[in-house]
Amino acid sequence: MVDTNTIGDSAEGSGELLRSPRTMRILICGCWDLMHTGHFNAIRQVATIAHEIEREKELEGERVRVEVVAGIHPNKEIRRVKGGEFVCSEEEKETMLRSCKWVDDIVHDVPYKPLTVEFLDKHRIDYAVHGDDIAKASDGTDMYGYVKEAGRYREFRRSECISTTTLINRILGCSPGANANEAFSLTSRRMTEFSRGYRPIESASK
């Protein structure tokens, strides 16, 4: 990262040299569809990690300001990996993220594949952050394996019992005890039927 430290006079005009805080950036990536309490709790925890890093650096004698950056997986990437339809456009997702008081910046077009150190460097990111539920690519690869090896990874506790898929299933009336794969298939089909103006389907078998 570019060193943003500068030297200036003190407000009192005493000539004392002051150093402005260096900016660090931490990244949390997501699909961010139909944002809910789980999303906001995740971002809140990332903001807490940002403050912890600031305190760590202060103890080391360095002043830093840590920005929280939200990375958005594009809908075309989500469709490629997960399939199905979406509730929100990418523009709507950005609007919701920018309205969150803990988000300082947005990064678009985050590939839905293992995050690389090169991607972090390109966007001036110091650390990638994710929940304690291991995120894996379609081939079973740890999505954060590369940045973990580079020592540029932090972790928070994932909010349980809440997800976009869960909310959509509840809205569409899916049975809570339904098989997860069947429920996801049913949800995707119902959303497709709805978006195309067809009558709602009753079950995944029809």
Side-chain angles (χ1 to χ4, degrees), residues 12-27:
E12 293 78 10
S14 63
E16 180 183 358
L17 297 181
L18 298 177
R19 296 174 66 86
S20 64
R22 177 169 68 91
T23 299
M24 297 181 66
R25 287 155 61 88
I26 57 178
L27 174 72

Side-chain angles (χ1 to χ4, degrees), residues 58-193:
E58 184 177 2
L59 292 175
E60 296 172 1
E62 182 181 9
R63 294 178 62 212
V64 302
R65 177 183 180 274
V66 181
E67 295 180 345
V68 174
V69 181
I72 303 176
H73 296 304
N75 284 349
K76 63 180 180 181
E77 279 284 275
I78 302 171
R79 181 179 288 110
R80 178 182 65 83
V81 176
K82 293 186 174 183
E85 301 297 324
F86 318 102
V87 176
C88 301
S89 68
E90 292 175 37
E91 292 77 14
E92 290 169 330
K93 294 176 183 180
E94 178 178 354
T95 298
M96 288 186 285
L97 284 167
R98 289 196 183 279
S99 70
C100 178
K101 67 179 182 179
W102 297 299
V103 174
D104 298 299
D105 197 9
I106 304 288
V107 170
H108 291 276
D109 297 323
V110 180
Y112 206 103
K113 61 182 181 181
L115 197 62
T116 64
V117 172
E118 290 74 18
F119 184 88
L120 297 188
D121 291 341
K122 176 182 177 181
H123 296 281
R124 300 179 292 110
I125 303 296
D126 295 272
Y127 294 100
V129 190
H130 192 267
D132 54 10
D133 54 322
I134 300 176
K136 292 186 178 294
S138 57
D139 62 357
T141 305
D142 186 344
M143 293 279 281
Y144 292 84
Y146 298 132
V147 295
K148 288 178 180 178
E149 292 175 0
R152 296 173 65 175
Y153 175 80
R154 297 287 181 113
E155 195 169 271
F156 60 87
R157 184 173 181 179
R158 181 184 185 277
S159 299
E160 299 179 357
C161 303
I162 183 68
S163 71
T164 298
T165 301
T166 300
L167 291 177
I168 293 174
N169 284 343
R170 288 169 61 184
I171 292 171
L172 296 177
C174 293
S175 170
N179 175 273
N181 291 330
E182 180 180 342
F184 181 78
S185 175
L186 174 59
T187 299
S188 299
R189 288 182 58 192
R190 280 182 168 171
M191 291 179 68
T192 301
E193 296 285 330

Side-chain angles (χ1 to χ4, degrees), residues 23-41:
T23 299
M24 297 181 66
R25 287 155 61 88
I26 57 178
L27 174 72
I28 175 172
C29 299
C31 301
W32 310 115
D33 198 19
L34 195 63
M35 286 189 69
H36 50 71
T37 55
H39 290 133
F40 291 114
N41 188 44

